[in-house]
């Protein structure tokens, strides 16, 4: 299954493994059991510290777990064959089980350990899902850090009956006690928040004061990274707080409009941002969200409280928190998230094979989603609020060439309805005559743009009616000492190259205002 190049990479990667680990599989007569054994055998053959072991009762599907040498579990198990995007999850799980690889910092690990156990969660994924590995890997790390945390990674194709019983219509789907607690994209921090809400957490013994920084940047995307690099190069002690490095870049498959770089991919660019900040001497704390921002009196530092229980102060604060997928805000949308309502066509499309689906949004992202879905589903109907779709003509031409697609324009989504099995219909209004119509569907893919991540500073700095932070030409907000850059601001054109420039401006302004006492 694995070619020589991959095997050589694994051999090099696992050369420093120190703790013996077992890949323990259960016997099975499933037709693909041999495929699993071939994969695990090749992986185990790359290190003398890895052993392939058969143990346990027979299973109806291929499954295995990662154990320590004494047979104790790491808390990580797989159902199916972790190929495709999930091969990386297997590779990292082995590294992390040996205490290697990029693990959360000590403070965040302490927060994970405070989660009340026992914790038993299952993640249903598909091998074509680009968002699934992030969720799988985050929960695997929690299992390794927490003494009573068990995580089972399930390829939904091997447990279709269970997918149907749980009425899952999207991946990754995280299930606790048969209850869907997370569907779709999620970060380590957001997953922990959801588990804390369900299971509770031991109280923080004491608040951790991280101290005073010259500049604190909130957000680790292009704008935040540019701000941080510029301030650090000016000699200012700079800290970046971010949920995940790269922000929206992590969800961007291909980038072809970065001037001088004909083609790159989001995760690669995000990794390069991290390397650049490290080289510039920027301190980065991942998996952090700011709870409150309290400006001081003139000349005094700005106080920040984090959801981790930590606090700190900043002489200058740069807000570069970007934006998130915009929701429709109609009745039924939240009720059916993960059970028919989705935001990623590439990830969740396979769950709707042979079904009728709807894409809400006639811009480039909506039409691109519809084109992708058309190859999988029975039919795709695109709903556009305006009289004409906003997508580029080349995309519209491509969509029009597909026999199982159509566009309805000048319509407004009213409600999403369904039953215990999931979505059954969408109700829309024809804006020309205000008549309402039912559209039978089992899937609704929402593609209507982004909403700025500015909620945590609402009432602190001035925002417009869309929630964008108002800034001047140098990135200054309405509060002295607080700056903003990128997609979270009123600056037009939400593009990576624009975010770079705006981040650099905000960083330079923070330095100049400090240097010249503004």
């Amino acid at each position: 299954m694995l070619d020589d190049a991959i095997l050589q990479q694994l051999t090099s990667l696992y050369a420093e493994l120190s703790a013996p680990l077992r890949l323990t599989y259960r016997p099975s007569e499933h037709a693909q059991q041999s495929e699993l054994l071939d994969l695990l055998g090749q992986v185990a053959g790359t290190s003398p510290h890895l052993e392939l072991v058969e143990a346990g009762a027979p299973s109806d599907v291929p499954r295995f777990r990662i154990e320590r040498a004494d047979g104790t579990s790491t808390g990580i198990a797989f159902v199916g064959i972790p190929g495709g995007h999930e091969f990386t999850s297997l590779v990292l799980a082995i590294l992390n089980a040996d205490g290697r690889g990029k693990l959360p910092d000590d403070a965040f690990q302490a927060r994970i350990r405070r989660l009340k156990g026992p914790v038993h969660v299952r993640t249903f994924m598909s091998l074509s899902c680009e968002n699934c590995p992030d969720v799988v890997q985050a929960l695997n790390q929690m299992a390794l850090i927490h003494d009573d945390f068990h995580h089972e990674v399930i390829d939904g194709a091997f447990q279709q009956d269970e997918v149907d019983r749980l009425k899952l219509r999207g991946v990754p789907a995280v299930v606790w006690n048969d209850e869907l607690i997370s569907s779709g994209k999620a970060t380590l921090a957001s997953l922990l928040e959801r588990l804390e809400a369900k299971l509770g957490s031991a109280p923080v013994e004491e608040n951790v004061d991280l101290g005073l920084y010259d500049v604190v940047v909130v957000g680790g995307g292009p704008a935040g990274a540019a701000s941080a690099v510029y301030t650090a190069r000016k000699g200012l002690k700079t800290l970046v707080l971010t949920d995940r490095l790269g922000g929206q870049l992590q969800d961007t498959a291909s980038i072809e409009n970065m001037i001088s770089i004909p083609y790159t991919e989001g995760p690669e660019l995000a990794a390069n941002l991290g390397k650049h900040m490290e080289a510039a001497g920027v301190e980065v704390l991942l998996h952090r969200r700011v709870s409150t921002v309290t400006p001081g009196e003139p000349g005094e530092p700005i106080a920040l409280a984090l959801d981790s229980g930590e606090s700190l102060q900043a002489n200058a604060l740069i807000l570069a928190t970007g934006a998130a997928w915009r929701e429709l805000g109609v009745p039924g949308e939240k009720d059916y998230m993960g059970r028919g309502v989705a935001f990623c066509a590439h990830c969740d499309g396979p769950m709707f094979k042979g079904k009728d689906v709807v894409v809400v949004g006639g811009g480039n992202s909506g039409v691109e989603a519809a084109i992708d879905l058309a190859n999988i589903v029975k039919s795709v109907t695109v709903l556009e609020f305006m009289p004409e779709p906003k997508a580029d003509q080349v995309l519209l031409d491509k969509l029009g060439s597909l026999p199982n697609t159509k566009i309805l324009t000048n319509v407004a989504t009213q409600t999403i309805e369904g039953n215990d099995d999931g979505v059954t219909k969408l109700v829309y209004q024809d804006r020309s005559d205000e008549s309402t119509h039912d559209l039978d569907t089992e899937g609704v893919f929402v593609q209507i743009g982004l909403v700025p991540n500015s909620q945590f500073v609402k009432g602190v700095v001035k925002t417009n009616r869309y929630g964008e932070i108002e800034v001047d030409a140098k990135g200054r907000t309405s509060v002295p000492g607080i700056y903003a850059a990128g997609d979270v601001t009123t600056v037009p054109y939400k593009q990576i190259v624009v975010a770079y420039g705006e981040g650099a401006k905000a960083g330079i302004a923070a330095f100049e205002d400090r240097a010249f006492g503004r």
Side-chain angles (χ1 to χ4, degrees), residues 142-160:
M142 286 193 211
L144 292 168
I145 292 166
H146 193 290
D147 289 337
D148 200 2
F149 194 118
H150 303 274
H151 179 220
E152 188 173 51
V153 185
I154 301 170
D155 181 349
F158 285 86
Q159 288 198 345
Q160 190 60 52

Side-chain angles (χ1 to χ4, degrees), residues 252-263:
T252 306
S254 61
I255 300 169
E256 301 180 58
N257 55 0
M258 279 287 294
I259 309 307
S260 84
I261 303 176
Y263 178 85

Side-chain angles (χ1 to χ4, degrees), residues 121-124 135 139 151 168 170 172-176 179-184 186 191 195:
V121 294
R122 295 180 290 166
T123 299
F124 290 82
V135 171
L139 291 167
H151 179 220
L168 302 179
V174 182
V175 175
W176 169 78
E179 177 185 350
L180 181 67
I181 62 171
S182 177
S183 179
L191 288 165
L195 287 170

Side-chain angles (χ1 to χ4, degrees), residues 111-127:
R111 182 179 169 190
I112 292 172
R113 293 189 186 98
R114 289 198 298 271
L115 186 66
K116 293 182 178 179
V119 186
H120 294 268
V121 294
R122 295 180 290 166
T123 299
F124 290 82
M125 55 78 179
S126 70
L127 299 183

Side-chain angles (χ1 to χ4, degrees), residues 196-211:
E196 288 170 336
K198 289 292 180 185
L199 302 174
S201 182
V204 180
E205 293 183 2
E206 60 178 332
N207 182 279
V208 178
D209 185 355
L210 299 177

